[in-house]
Amino acid sequence: MDRAALADFLRRRREALQPEDLGLPSGARRRTRGLRREEVASLAVMSTDYYTRLEQRRGPQPSEHMLSSLARALRLTGDERTYLYRIAGHNAPVSLSASPHVAPALLRVLDRLDDTPALVLTDLGETLVQNRMAAALLGDASKHTGLARSAIYRWFTDPAERSIYPEADHARQSRAQVANLRAAHGLRGPRSRAGELVRALQKANEEFAELWARHEVAQRFEDHKTLIHPELGAIELDCQALFTEDQSQTLLVLTAPPRTEGHEKLQLLAVLGLDRFTEAER
C-alpha cells in the first residue's frame, strides 16, 4: 500500500468534482475546492473520520469493498479505479462487467434523478446503486449478500421477492428473468458468476430448470409494469432502460405520466420514503 500516493490521489479526485456533478446542492460559498471530505464519505457510506485519515496518510489499508465504494463516490473511470486498487495494495478486478463498479456515465444520469425511482443493475439483476425513490419503492437492495444479490436468484428462491408483482404477472416475469440470465450466461460463459447462478438455481428450483431448458434469450425490460407497494398498493409505471455499450449494466428509470394515479402515488412515495405509515395514520 502506497499511503502517500493513495492520499494524494483521493484528494485530487475529490477536488476535481463539483457538487452539481453528483446532483448535490452547491449551497453557500465553499471554502474548499471541489467536494468536502464529509460529502465523499457520505457518498461512499463510510465515516468522515475514516476517509479523512486516508487523505492524511494515517488510515488502515482499505478493503476491496471500501475501494469499490470510493471509486463509485468519486466517479472514477475504469483506469482510475484500477490505479486506486493498485496503490491501495489490492489486485483490481479483472473485468468491469463482472465487478460492482458502476459505469460513470450511468451515475451522472442517476445523480440528476431524485423525483422518480431509478437504479443501476448488472446483467445478473444485481442492484449496484439506487436512489432514495427506488429504495422506497423496491426496498433497500444493499442488505442482500452472496448469490441473493441477484434479483434473478431471489425471484426463484425467496417467495417474498414476488410480492412486488401482481400474481397474474408472475409467469411472465419468471420467463423474463430466465431469458435475461440466458443472455448474460451466453456473454460471460459457464465458468462465470452467471454460470454459478444457473447451477445453483437448477438445483434449487424446478420452475427455473424447466424455463432454462427452453433456451429463451432476451435482454430487455417490459415497457410497462404494475408494482405493488405495501402501503400505496398497485402502481402502474413506465420503464425506460439505458444500457452501457457492453450491455453489462443498465440504468432503469420508472416513471408515470402526469395527472395519472401512478404519478400521484409516486409523489406520495417521495413523502413516505422508507418509512411506514404509523398506526395512527392507518
Side-chain angles (χ1 to χ4, degrees), residues 35-101:
L35 296 182
R36 299 186 178 99
R37 284 172 175 168
E38 57 266 29
E39 290 172 330
V40 174
S42 177
L43 290 167
V45 196
M46 62 181 59
S47 71
T48 302
D49 177 67
Y50 180 90
Y51 178 77
T52 299
R53 283 187 288 140
L54 289 178
E55 278 202 9
Q56 294 177 345
R57 309 182 186 184
R58 299 186 293 110
Q61 182 184 33
S63 66
E64 292 186 14
H65 175 74
M66 285 291 191
L67 292 174
S68 176
S69 295
L70 283 169
R72 182 167 60 246
L74 294 170
R75 304 312 192 242
L76 301 185
T77 66
D79 289 340
E80 289 170 338
R81 176 174 170 273
T82 297
Y83 177 74
L84 173 67
Y85 271 71
R86 287 176 177 169
I87 60 177
H90 290 282
N91 292 322
V94 176
S95 171
L96 289 180
S97 64
S99 79
H101 181 66

Side-chain angles (χ1 to χ4, degrees), residues 113-275:
L113 298 172
D114 60 1
D115 61 348
T116 198
L119 61 159
V120 177
L121 301 165
T122 70
D123 54 354
L124 300 181
E126 300 163 327
T127 298
L128 298 180
V129 63
Q130 59 186 160
N131 65 10
R132 63 180 185 88
M133 288 284 286
L137 177 64
L138 305 170
D140 181 9
S142 64
K143 65 182 180 181
H144 300 297
T145 59
L147 293 178
R149 289 188 61 237
S150 167
I152 302 172
Y153 182 83
R154 297 196 306 274
W155 180 262
F156 290 101
T157 59
D158 183 0
E161 186 72 15
R162 302 194 176 202
S163 64
I164 197 170
Y165 285 92
E167 188 172 353
D169 288 346
H170 286 186
R172 181 177 60 181
Q173 185 66 14
S174 292
R175 290 182 61 193
Q177 296 279 21
V178 176
N180 286 339
L181 181 55
R182 174 69 73 174
H185 186 270
L187 180 65
R188 296 189 181 199
R191 295 186 178 181
S192 66
R193 184 170 174 81
E196 182 183 5
L197 279 172
V198 170
R199 290 187 292 274
L201 286 171
Q202 284 180 318
K203 294 178 181 179
N205 187 276
E206 184 176 343
E207 179 191 14
F208 175 86
E210 292 176 355
L211 291 173
W212 185 255
R214 296 184 184 184
H215 281 264
E216 293 181 329
V217 184
Q219 193 177 37
R220 62 183 183 274
F221 292 92
E222 292 290 336
D223 293 332
H224 190 80
K225 289 180 182 287
T226 298
L227 299 179
I228 309 296
H229 186 269
E231 278 77 35
L232 303 179
I235 308 177
E236 291 193 37
L237 298 170
D238 294 320
C239 302
Q240 295 295 325
L242 176 63
F243 291 87
T244 54
E245 186 174 354
D246 64 0
Q247 303 286 297
S248 65
Q249 295 181 13
T250 309
L251 172 63
L252 184 65
V253 184
L254 303 168
T255 63
R259 297 178 296 279
T260 63
E261 183 180 6
H263 185 260
E264 292 176 357
K265 288 186 176 182
L266 283 183
Q267 290 180 312
L268 183 55
L269 182 69
V271 177
L272 178 64
L274 289 172
D275 298 327

